[in-house]
Amino acid sequence: MPKAIWNDEVIAESDDTVVVEGNYYFPRASLREDLLVPSETHTVCPWKGKASYYTLSSNGQTAQDAVWFYPEPKPDAKAVRDRVAFRKDVRVEV
C-alpha cells in the first residue's frame, strides 16, 4: 500500500492513489490532519486549475508548502478532486 513519509512519520497511507504527471495523489481523508498548517501559497496549472498548499509541522520540524491540492480542479483533472500530493520533502513508498 502506498505511503507518504515525512520526518520519519507516515503522513498518508492508502491503496486508492492516482498518479498524475509522476505525482502520487492520495485521498484527502488518508492525510494526517494534525500535521497540517494552512498556507497562503497558491499556484496555477493550466489544465488542473488553482492549487492550494499546506505546510507540514511536527516535532519542531517544518516543510513549507509540502502538500498541495486542487479545491476546484478543472474538468480534465477530475481524478485529483479530493486528493493531495507532496513535494520532494515527502517520500512516497509504493
Side-chain angles (χ1 to χ4, degrees):
M1 176 177 320
K3 296 178 186 179
I5 301 168
W6 174 73
N7 204 21
D8 295 325
E9 296 182 72
V10 175
I11 62 169
E13 183 174 16
S14 178
D15 58 2
D16 177 25
T17 60
V18 295
V19 179
V20 177
E21 296 179 326
N23 294 303
Y24 281 83
Y25 282 80
F26 286 74
R28 168 63 189 216
S30 73
L31 182 61
R32 285 189 49 194
E33 298 284 332
D34 62 311
L35 304 178
L36 302 180
V37 178
S39 172
E40 295 297 318
T41 301
H42 298 281
T43 58
V44 176
C45 172
W47 73 275
K48 289 187 293 259
K50 183 178 179 181
S52 295
Y53 291 80
Y54 289 109
T55 292
L56 293 170
S57 181
S58 176
N59 297 322
Q61 301 290 316
T62 60
Q64 186 70 34
D65 299 335
V67 182
W68 78 84
F69 62 100
Y70 293 89
E72 297 294 328
K74 291 185 176 183
D76 287 346
K78 64 183 177 185
V80 301
R81 180 176 296 283
D82 298 323
R83 295 180 178 273
V84 297
F86 307 97
R87 290 197 170 172
K88 296 177 195 173
D89 304 62
V90 177
R91 182 176 78 250
V92 175
E93 294 181 356
V94 291

